[in-house]
């Protein structure tokens, strides 16, 4: 019994929820050992607007003035967030309605997902009566990186970026935030939809369709309720911006877990696979792939075809990237004689220049970071580049740790080169994906790449697979065009 | 033309190379911008035994007394390491022979892998003349974590652990060291074999067979030279300790890359696959799987069967782990009524207890870390446990960052629980694999698990896949037994 009759589009509604100018918060206390308090602290730690905690007894909650009742708050807040015991939700949702609050995030669980269908219907009725539109229940809330607003209980704030997340699991809407930070992954918005008693994943897609910061959409799906509408909307949105989907529910245990989790009714894997294919969506098979693919799609231009140039300073990484590319249906063509000669003229004689290009012991790092990338980018028979071997000043700092010598002034030299490479990427409009076993906290070069929208993956194969997602989306778009 | 005639077994020979008591080093200088110097610095930074750099001019190299000629060194070193220009290798290898040095690592490249077959044969002849046994050429050297010896140029020292690496790529013998450190992965030995002009991967397997710190062997293979012998030895060794293999070469581009890399002749994927299956080896399909599987196999007891209990504090992670388990051929059985009741009696009513077990908002962390694991471990219908949701004091520290409150004394409470869990693991001898999106640098609980030999994977699916490697090896061992 969702609120369909007065529903036009998810756009304005989710806009209100994701960018409120004031929030009333139910469920925070001065006891730090509750989820609600954690979520409240997460909000007040970063969000620079008005937040009004509602509490029957406390005067203040962690330094913020508290109100006994929502009626007492000095303004009609844009958004109510509820982390209340289940049975209190209907009553306080009605209070919000009386106060004129039209948007809510109901985080409390214990509704349809545990069989309490009537209770879920009760909150739907109350919402309808007051014209309240809401996310949840049984969700984790939202994060809007561009507004410094994180209503989840994960106290990590990913940087601003191009990925928006729509998730039927609260876990995947926020738990990966520390992983995002470690890997330089930026997000726009993250939306946990929970039981979808009102707003559902289709609304989220419609909302994100026109959000200009959203460059790619990562979806975690346990079951689609409005199948026909999903296909219509996903197909339309996917033409404008890529959608990557992780679907869980195709196995017996996965389906059982999903059902008890968000009451989602899952279907056989092949049915969902057909739906995703029909819409041109990119399918991921695990959570890392979901974000690996989204990251590439959110930040890189699309390759014309799947002819990939591989540049490394080590043979093994070249071999596994080439192998992965071919297994994923990409080509790693032998370079033309001209291109090979051009590269051969600048690298040591033992280097390999066919493709993969392995510069081995070449210590002139400008070859790796600038000159060879340019040769590959300008080659019309290469559509995208994979890089492995982002070594920089960190290595030298570690060598000389005990030897008491210091390597100064190296980073400015690297920065000059990296900026040149970024300019080349801009000029040639071909995708460049990198990989490294050293993370951004230990290697400034990795951080610089990531901070300038060149993804750096934690292993060479993952970069190669992400490249295949770019090619797949590019092909789907081209097919879409030729079908018209 | 390898040194077969006087070859008995790789054992003693590789023992000398991996645990030398003194080293002569060719190819270091006071110019930091060379690989040789980096490798030399790596050695002297950690290794507490005699290292004698050989240099035609310098008196000292980074504070270590240098010798003009190997003849001048005060003792007959156990091992020579050579990072010399290719054409100088034969001459100095002969000098080592004259000095009575019987073991060498030839890191220099430019031999068979670039077509210089005669030059490679020349060093084989010299080695034979003097009874020198050697690794390489065109390798990266070795690392022995238990001896603080790392001859590679990667200045990261993984902690001591149970994985030994045998790699036809120098990259995978050392580049992942920072990744190992970030993920709490410990190693015993790492051996890069390069062109295998003398010592090959079969010798390495024979050597590791009896190395007591080696609990699992991770192999990166681009092509096997002594096929029959490999099958015989791998099959034998795999019965004692698990061998995980990553094979690259089954695709055209992968094969091309491998050939130019270490002159390995690769064969079709299905042929290699059959060989691995015949030997009962676990096949990995990317570098992360190689180490994920090795880590589980090196640290965990083997499950009797594939019936897995899943414990999480979040629904999505439970769903993806259950889904992955079933896709990998494991079972996530619905728990017995008794077990369900036992769990139900301690968790909140909205928790799910069927399997996956999702404790959701249960804030009594001892349920998650001790009580439910014990219920699962003692259940005879559960063979192994997957955990997701290792949250600890770090979360609270972050909540109260701005609120100026501090949470003290939490970690001792966690440590007590974690020690109890470790005792349970010891008592019940069933595998426990965990996962978390927060790394060890940010969450002490993750570090504690990893430092006490309970693997923590960076995503829930990777823990589930590693569990499947344990089940696969357990089944292969059982089959082996019943075949006898």
């Amino acid at each position: 019994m969702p609120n369909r009759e007065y529903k036009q589009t998810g756009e304005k509604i989710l806009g209100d929820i994701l960018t409120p100018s004031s929030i009333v918060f139910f469920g925070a206390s001065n006891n730090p050992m509750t989820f609600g308090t954690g979520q409240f602290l997460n909000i007040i730690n970063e969000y620079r607007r008005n937040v009004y905690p509602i509490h029957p007894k406390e005067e203040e909650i962690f330094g913020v003035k508290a109100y006994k009742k929502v009626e007492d708050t000095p303004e009609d807040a844009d958004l109510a967030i509820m982390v209340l015991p289940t049975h209190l939700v209907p009553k306080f949702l009605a209070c919000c309605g009386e106060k004129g609050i039209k948007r809510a995030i109901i985080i409390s669980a214990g509704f349809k997902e545990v069989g309490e269908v009537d209770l879920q219907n009760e909150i739907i009725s109350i919402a309808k009566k007051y014209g309240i539109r809401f996310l949840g229940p049984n969700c984790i809330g939202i994060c809007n990186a561009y507004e410094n607003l994180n209503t989840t209980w994960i106290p990590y704030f990913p940087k601003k970026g191009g990925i928006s997340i729509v998730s039927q699991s609260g876990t995947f809407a926020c738990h990966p935030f520390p992983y995002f930070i470690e890997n330089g992954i930026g997000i726009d918005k993250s939306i946990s939809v929970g039981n979808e008693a009102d707003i559902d994943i289709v609304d989220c897609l419609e909302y994100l369709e026109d959000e200009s910061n959203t460059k790619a959409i990562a979806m975690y799906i346990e079951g689609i309720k409005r199948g026909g509408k999903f296909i219509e909307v996903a197909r339309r949105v996917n033409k404008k911006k890529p959608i990557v989907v992780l679907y869980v529910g195709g196995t017996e245990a996965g389906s059982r877990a999903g059902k008890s989790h968000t009451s989602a009714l899952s279907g056989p894997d092949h049915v969902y696979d057909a739906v995703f294919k029909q819409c041109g969506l990119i399918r991921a098979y695990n959570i890392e792939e979901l974000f690996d693919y989204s990251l590439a799609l959110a930040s890189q231009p699309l390759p014309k075809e799947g002819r990939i140039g591989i540049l490394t300073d080590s043979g093994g990484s070249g071999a596994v990237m080439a192998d992965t590319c071919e297994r994923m249906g990409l080509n790693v063509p032998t370079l033309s004689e001209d291109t090979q000669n051009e590269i051969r003229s600048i690298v040591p004689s033992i280097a390999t220049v066919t493709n993969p290009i392995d510069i081995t012991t070449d210590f002139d790092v400008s070859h790796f970071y600038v000159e060879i990338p340019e040769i590959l980018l300008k080659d019309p028979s290469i559509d995208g580049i994979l890089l492995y071997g982002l070594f920089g000043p960190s290595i030298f700092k570690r060598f000389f740790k005990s030897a008491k010598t210091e390597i100064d002034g190296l980073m400015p030299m690297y920065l000059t080169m990296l900026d040149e490479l970024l300019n080349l990427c801009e000029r040639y409009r071909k995708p460049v994906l990198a990989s490294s076993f050293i993370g951004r906290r230990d290697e400034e070069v990795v951080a610089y790449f990531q901070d300038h929208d060149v993804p750096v993956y934690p292993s060479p194969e993952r970069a190669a697979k992400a490249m295949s997602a770019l090619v797949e989306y590019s092909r789907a778009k081209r097919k879409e065009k030729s079908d018209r």
Side-chain angles (χ1 to χ4, degrees), chain A:
Chain A
M1 189 166 54
N3 279 347
R4 297 297 159 217
E5 51 257 60
Y6 63 87
K7 186 169 196 171
Q8 300 301 319
T9 159
E11 191 177 341
K12 182 72 180 69
I13 296 150
L14 274 158
D16 294 343
I17 291 175
L18 271 293
T19 56
S21 60
S22 56
I23 298 171
V24 292
F25 194 99
F26 296 84
S29 71
N30 285 307
N31 169 13
M33 299 299 275
T34 73
F35 274 96
T37 304
Q39 288 170 294
F40 176 73
L41 286 167
N42 252 358
I43 296 171
I44 62 169
N45 278 347
E46 301 285 334
Y47 192 55
R48 296 279 71 91
R49 309 215 184 167
N50 291 330
V51 184
Y52 307 110
I54 311 297
H55 196 280
K57 299 194 211 94
E58 304 285 1
E59 294 293 323
E60 273 195 358
I61 295 178
F62 289 102
V64 178
K65 181 173 163 47
Y67 296 84
K68 301 270 181 288
K69 297 173 178 171
V70 65
E71 301 92 286
D72 304 339
T73 55
E75 61 176 313
D76 292 1
D78 286 349
L79 175 67
I81 300 179
M82 302 190 158
V83 199
L84 290 164
T86 317
H87 68 280
L88 297 178
V89 172
K91 177 182 154 195
F92 286 109
L93 191 63
C95 294
C96 289
E98 292 292 334
K99 177 72 174 168
I101 297 172
K102 299 286 189 201
R103 307 287 178 245
I105 300 176
I106 304 176
I107 290 170
S108 311
F111 294 88
K112 194 177 171 191
E113 82 282 6
V114 293
E116 298 286 351
V117 178
D118 289 348
L119 201 60
Q120 183 154 318
N121 285 338
E122 190 184 344
I123 61 169
I124 293 172
S125 297
I126 294 167
K128 206 178 288 186
K129 177 176 169 195
Y130 292 102
I132 298 171
R133 301 299 308 272
F134 66 98
L135 272 176
N138 185 30
C139 73
I140 205 70
I142 55 99
C143 178
N144 184 344
Y146 287 84
E147 294 282 333
N148 298 316
L149 175 60
N150 176 4
T151 78
T152 81
W153 67 277
I154 296 291
Y156 288 79
F157 285 75
K159 68 171 184 177
K160 298 171 180 63
I163 301 173
S164 280
I165 301 162
V166 177
S167 178
Q168 286 179 338
S169 145
T171 310
F172 299 127
C174 63
H175 288 206
F177 288 176
Y179 163 84
F180 290 169
I181 292 168
E182 277 303 299
N183 291 277
I185 299 173
I187 73 161
D188 178 11
K189 300 177 173 77
S190 181
I191 308 171
S192 156
V193 293
N195 289 2
E196 301 177 279
D198 178 18
I199 296 167
D200 69 3
I201 54 171
V202 176
D203 297 315
C204 294
L205 281 182
E206 291 198 293
Y207 164 63
L208 293 171
E209 181 175 9
D210 298 315
E211 286 300 289
S212 61
N213 291 325
T214 298
K215 308 297 181 197
I217 299 168
M219 302 191 83
Y220 171 83
I221 294 177
E222 293 183 352
I224 298 172
K225 294 180 183 183
R226 290 193 286 159
K229 190 73 181 168
F230 176 87
I231 292 173
E232 176 202 322
V233 172
R235 209 167 162 172
R236 187 182 77 227
V237 175
N238 192 60
K239 280 180 214 167
K240 290 198 198 172
K241 42 186 86 172
I243 300 172
V244 186
V245 215
L246 173 60
Y247 171 63
V248 168
T251 63
E252 192 277 322
S255 166
R256 171 156 36 90
K259 199 175 170 191
S260 68
H261 174 213
T262 49
S263 75
L265 282 173
S266 54
D269 204 70
H270 67 271
V271 172
Y272 274 79
D273 205 49
V275 166
F276 300 146
K277 279 216 178 69
Q278 193 188 337
C279 301
L281 313 188
I282 307 293
R283 188 160 180 194
Y285 286 91
N286 59 55
I287 195 70
E288 288 174 329
E289 282 179 8
L290 180 67
F291 297 123
D292 281 358
Y293 298 170
S294 299
L295 178 63
L297 287 158
S299 60
Q300 293 299 301
L302 291 179
K304 254 173 61 185
E305 280 293 339
R307 299 163 305 172
I308 308 305
I310 294 176
L311 172 57
T312 88
D313 51 13
S314 89
S317 59
V320 297
M321 285 192 285
D323 196 67
T324 307
C325 280
E326 297 227 338
R327 285 178 203 272
M328 302 298 290
L330 309 180
N331 300 318
V332 183
T334 301
L335 296 170
S336 69
E337 275 305 313
D338 284 355
T339 301
Q340 287 195 40
N341 287 336
E342 208 174 341
I343 299 168
R344 198 176 284 119
S345 71
I346 56 172
V347 293
S349 62
I350 58 163
T352 310
V353 299
T354 45
N355 195 22
I357 300 156
D358 174 8
I359 63 165
T360 71
T361 53
D362 189 348
F363 249 97
D364 184 339
V365 282
S366 71
H367 298 161
F368 180 81
Y369 284 114
V370 181
E371 294 179 40
I372 304 173
E374 177 157 26
I375 295 170
L376 289 174
L377 286 166
K378 76 177 188 207
D379 185 333
S381 61
I382 290 297
D383 302 305
I385 299 181
L386 290 170
L387 282 181
Y388 170 84
L390 309 188
F391 295 106
S394 77
I395 287 282
F396 296 102
K397 282 183 198 151
R398 297 181 70 100
F399 283 146
F400 295 105
K401 190 178 54 174
S402 313
K404 314 275 183 252
T405 311
E406 273 187 36
I407 299 287
D408 285 327
L410 268 182
M411 197 57 201
M413 180 192 84
Y414 275 91
L415 286 187
T416 307
M417 289 186 308
L418 297 181
D419 285 339
E420 269 189 75
L421 176 56
L422 293 171
N423 285 336
L424 291 170
C425 294
E426 188 67 33
R427 185 174 348 141
Y428 289 100
R429 304 293 301 154
K430 291 181 181 177
V432 176
L433 301 178
S435 57
S436 166
F437 289 111
I438 314 182
R440 57 180 288 123
R441 279 205 261 187
D442 286 323
E443 177 52 74
E444 293 153 289
V445 167
V446 170
Y448 201 79
F449 267 100
Q450 290 174 340
D451 292 343
H452 291 80
D453 268 350
V454 178
V456 181
Y457 294 94
S459 82
E461 293 101 330
R462 283 169 66 178
K465 285 177 78 182
M467 185 64 86
S468 83
L470 288 173
V471 174
E472 189 183 335
Y473 182 66
S474 176
R475 284 177 182 157
K477 270 199 98 146
R478 215 166 36 243
K479 186 171 177 303
E480 186 71 51
K481 251 186 197 159
S482 74
D483 284 355
R484 265 184 299 183

